[in-house]
């Protein structure tokens, strides 16, 4: 009698080719570090560094800043190589940087593939993951802030496209078109029925910078709502990520955060834009999916 495999979980359907990016700190020494991973799935190309700023400081001390810049440049070159389908000879222009063998990965989305690639090729990947969490919750470092915001955008996009792949060309659109004179911003999402931007705010010593970023996104939506006469979107939404629990933050920062969040919501409503507070990528993705499904 054959076993019943009906309850056996199916394999993930998302596929991507990925490769590690290696650095030999001392050229031709044979010693190498995995400094990044890159992946490509059709037109979608992404990558990430596998050594955090904190880990770099432990390894290289005062030279960490230069190393981080070099790693960022190497990642940019590797992303260009991945966009070409990993074809031809990789040339980074930096001594000691090479790209490893391309492999095929299965996962839930691009972020999942990159996580797998990091854990498989970098012994520092767990340090990197822990540092990212600490930076997301505690640090005021602007680079870490933007990196985490970028990851949040990617996670939301992957979840939406997993359900509505027809919306692939509706993410991360510039506003400098003839229809919107004077705008230099961009939209996180411009679908058939909804236009949306993404902001992030939390208790922080740098909360004024976070609020300024959110207001900039609000201004982008203002252009769509009030300056584009024939815009198909009948709903403009400012998605605002915020931490669900505030216990870990300094009480002295929470009052200003709460007031800033309230002011941001009020300003959105006054401009006819819906403020949507969310705590995780799945919530924002679900809101986009629900509204666009009827289109």
């Amino acid at each position: 009698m054959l076993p019943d495999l009906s309850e056996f979980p199916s394999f993930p359907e998302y596929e991507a080719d990925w490769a590690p990016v290696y650095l030999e700190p001392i050229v031709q020494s044979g010693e190498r570090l995995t400094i990044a991973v890159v992946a490509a799935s059709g037109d979608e190309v992404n990558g990430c560094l596998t050594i955090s700023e904190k880990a770099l400081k432990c390894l290289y001390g005062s030279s960490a800043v230069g190393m981080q810049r070099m790693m960022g440049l190497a990642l940019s070159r590797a992303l260009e190589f991945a966009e070409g389908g990993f074809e031809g000879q990789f040339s980074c222009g930096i001594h000691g940087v090479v790209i490893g063998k391309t492999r095929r990965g299965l996962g839930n989305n691009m972020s999942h593939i990159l996580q797998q690639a990091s854990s498989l090729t970098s012994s520092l990947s767990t340090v990197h993951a822990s540092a990212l969490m600490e930076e997301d919750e505690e640090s005021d470092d602007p680079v870490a802030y933007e990196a985490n915001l970028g990851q949040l955008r990617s996670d939301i996009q992957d979840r939406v496209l997993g359900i509505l792949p027809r919306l692939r060309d509706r993410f991360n659109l510039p506003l400098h078109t003839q229809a919107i004179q004077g705008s230099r911003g961009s939209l996180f999402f411009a679908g058939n029925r909804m236009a949306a931007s993404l902001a992030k705010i939390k208790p922080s010593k740098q909360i004024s910078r976070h609020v300024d970023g959110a207001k900039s996104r609000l201004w982008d939506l203002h252009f769509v709502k009030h300056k584009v006469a024939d815009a198909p979107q009948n709903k403009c939404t400012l998605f605002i990520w915020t931490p669900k629990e505030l216990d870990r933050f300094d009480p002295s920062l929470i009052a200003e955060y709460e007031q800033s969040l309230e002011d941001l919501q009020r300003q959105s409503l006054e401009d006819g834009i819906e403020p949507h507070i969310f705590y995780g990528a799945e919530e924002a993705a679900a809101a986009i999916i629900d509204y666009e499904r009827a289109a």
Side-chain angles (χ1 to χ4, degrees), residues 84 121 143 167 193 195 238 245:
T121 60
V143 175
L167 299 176
R193 303 184 68 213
L238 179 65
E245 302 293 339

Side-chain angles (χ1 to χ4, degrees), residues 16-19 37-41 44-47 79 82 86 110 113-114 117:
D17 293 322
W18 65 268
V37 290
V38 292
S41 178
E44 184 179 8
V45 177
N46 211 331
L79 287 170
F86 297 99
M110 176 62 79
I113 296 291
L114 292 174

Side-chain angles (χ1 to χ4, degrees), residues 170-192:
R170 299 304 186 95
F171 285 89
N172 305 311
L173 301 176
L175 285 179
H176 52 272
T177 66
Q178 293 181 355
I180 312 178
Q181 292 292 341
S183 175
R184 298 181 180 179
S186 62
L187 288 177
F188 169 62
F189 176 74
N192 296 309

Side-chain angles (χ1 to χ4, degrees), residues 33 51-62 64 124:
L33 298 173
I51 307 177
S52 71
E53 181 180 357
K54 291 184 178 180
L56 276 178
K57 287 180 179 178
C58 292
L59 290 169
Y60 292 101
S62 61
L124 293 171

Side-chain angles (χ1 to χ4, degrees), residues 32-245:
R32 68 183 187 182
L33 298 173
T34 304
I35 60 173
V37 290
V38 292
S41 178
D43 294 333
E44 184 179 8
V45 177
N46 211 331
C48 66
L49 298 178
T50 56
I51 307 177
S52 71
E53 181 180 357
K54 291 184 178 180
L56 276 178
K57 287 180 179 178
C58 292
L59 290 169
Y60 292 101
S62 61
S63 301
V65 174
M67 283 292 295
Q68 189 175 42
R69 290 174 182 167
M70 182 276 298
M71 287 165 51
L73 180 59
L75 176 58
S76 296
R77 297 289 186 269
L79 287 170
E80 293 173 1
F81 185 66
E83 287 175 356
F86 297 99
E87 297 291 337
Q89 187 72 28
F90 174 69
S91 177
C92 179
I94 301 174
H95 290 299
V97 174
V98 297
I99 199 161
K101 180 180 178 182
T102 304
R103 312 181 199 181
R104 174 58 59 92
L106 294 176
N108 299 322
N109 50 43
M110 176 62 79
S111 298
H112 193 201
I113 296 291
L114 292 174
Q115 289 171 4
Q116 291 180 49
S118 296
S119 64
L120 287 171
T121 60
S122 174
S123 60
L124 293 171
S125 63
T126 55
V127 176
H128 176 66
S130 299
L132 279 180
M133 183 175 295
E134 290 174 6
E135 288 166 349
D136 184 46
E137 293 180 354
E138 299 173 5
S139 176
D140 288 323
D141 177 64
V143 175
Y145 177 85
E146 289 300 325
N148 281 279
L149 185 56
Q151 185 62 58
L152 186 59
R153 291 191 188 100
S154 179
D155 288 346
I156 295 171
Q157 179 176 336
D158 288 343
R159 290 173 183 273
V160 172
L161 296 181
I163 303 297
L164 299 176
R166 59 182 170 82
L167 299 176
R168 183 170 296 278
D169 61 347
R170 299 304 186 95
F171 285 89
N172 305 311
L173 301 176
L175 285 179
H176 52 272
T177 66
Q178 293 181 355
I180 312 178
Q181 292 292 341
S183 175
R184 298 181 180 179
S186 62
L187 288 177
F188 169 62
F189 176 74
N192 296 309
R193 303 184 68 213
M194 172 193 284
S197 284
L198 185 67
K200 183 175 181 180
I201 184 172
K202 64 178 183 177
S204 165
K205 294 178 181 178
Q206 301 296 327
I207 193 168
S208 61
R209 187 180 68 231
H210 303 169
V211 171
D212 287 344
K215 288 183 177 179
S216 177
R217 303 287 77 77
L218 187 59
W219 183 245
D220 295 338
L221 291 170
H222 170 89
F223 268 92
V224 174
K225 187 170 183 64
H226 299 289
K227 303 295 183 180
V228 185
D230 299 325
Q233 296 87 8
N234 55 23
K235 182 177 183 178
C236 290
T237 300
L238 179 65
F239 286 104
I240 307 170
W241 179 90
T242 188
K244 192 171 185 178
E245 302 293 339

